[in-house]
Amino acid sequence: MKKTLSLVAILAAGTSQAAGFQVDTHSARATGVGGAATAWLEDSSSIYYNVANMVGVKTLDITLGDTGILPSITFQRPGMEAEGQRTTLSPPPHLFVVYKPFEKAAFGVGVFTPYGARSRWEEGFSGRFRGYESSLATYYINPSFAYELHPRFRFGAGLDIARATIELTRGLDFVNSEGSIHLGGADWGSGFNIGVQAKLLDNLDMGLHYRSSIDIAFQGQADFQNIPVEFQSRLTDQKAHADVVLPSTVTAGLAYRPLNNLLLAFDASWVDWSSFSELAIRFENPSIDNPLPKRWRAKWKYSLGGEYAVNEALQVRLGFTYDPSPSPNSTLTPDLPDANRFKVSAGVGYQFKPFRADLGYQFVALADKESTAPGMPGTYSGNAHVLGLTLGFNLQ
């Protein structure tokens, strides 16, 4: 009975652009350099990458854009053919506005989606009783403030107001028939972010940025369908809830300018996935609760990138990122498929003052990752294409 009622997958995020269910592409310019932007990016998207750098805005800066994430992931059991997901495009948008009314102080607000993904396995997927179709989205509203304490040192802080939504459909195995469950839920949460930026040398900058974790208590409804008569007294439509912690992050970065028109940048980012210890839904009827251990681990992500100004208007960019999976092999299942990611990025920017346009592309290769999870052994692999476009306006 417990196996039949193993209702787990409240965060079945599938293949996201970054490890776990993180999304870290909130500026096409930053995407082009592999996300290595903590120490130097000074337009309004710095609200996400390092809030201290808002002070670099002249008077008013606005960025608006969207990122298309097209993932492809496969799962192959030993001795069987590979199974895949249906094509699903995730388009997380971003909007940032910074106003600098004083020489040393700037105010801003950002709207972006730092966590989320969509997953839809093919019809008849053998793991449909663990996870079949799902989506997770988090929408952050981030009012921010930054101040230049010294010509070589800046500080910034912001409030993270988060709205998280989730939907899940998965199969239920009754041996002689199949049913399904649909879950939907949402909640608000709040946290904060702080950052500093320092000019170590005339051509060397350092940045450090922290974004806190956010507790989300999903409240929603479970809808059971095609349930056999003998199970209907227990599997009735009912309320459900789950507590999840969106992880904290710490990112340190360096930016070096060996030439006036050449920037080289490196970022190291620590994501505290250890806060995600289990995957569990709590129902009104507690007898059908069955939490699954996940035991994710905190991981470091590394990014290296460069930007070259061909002339005053045109810039070209390249980047590389290594982003390891937080999931142990022993808890890796189709509800949260994952793998180590290697990302290669390229981008181009053009300025026609006071406007600008940036285009960034990233190819994400998911290295083969072996699962030894009980009942679901196999290998996960895949890739993703990421294309971002950001338009900007800068009032001097």
Side-chain angles (χ1 to χ4, degrees), residues 75-83 126:
F75 172 68
Q76 186 169 17
R77 292 175 179 265
M80 299 180 65
E81 291 186 4
E83 302 175 275
S126 63

Side-chain angles (χ1 to χ4, degrees), residues 8-13 21 115-116 136-138 140 162 164-166 185-190 212-219 241-248 272-282 292 294 296 336:
V8 295
I10 191 69
L11 284 178
F21 44 86
Y115 299 100
L136 166 72
T138 61
Y140 275 41
T165 64
I166 158 159
D187 188 38
W188 290 90
S190 62
S212 74
S213 62
I214 294 182
D215 295 333
I216 299 291
F218 285 108
Q219 303 289 334
H241 70 274
D243 297 328
V244 174
V245 179
L246 302 177
S248 59
D272 188 16
W273 290 113
S274 64
S275 60
F276 189 47
S277 60
E278 71 172 8
L279 196 59
I281 305 170
R282 308 296 179 185
L292 263 189
K294 284 299 177 183
W296 282 15
L336 280 167

Side-chain angles (χ1 to χ4, degrees), residues 282-302:
R282 308 296 179 185
F283 293 89
E284 281 187 297
N285 178 1
S287 67
I288 62 175
D289 294 351
N290 190 14
L292 263 189
K294 284 299 177 183
R295 296 190 293 271
W296 282 15
R297 302 161 181 160
K299 289 291 183 178
W300 283 93
K301 174 175 62 177
Y302 303 98

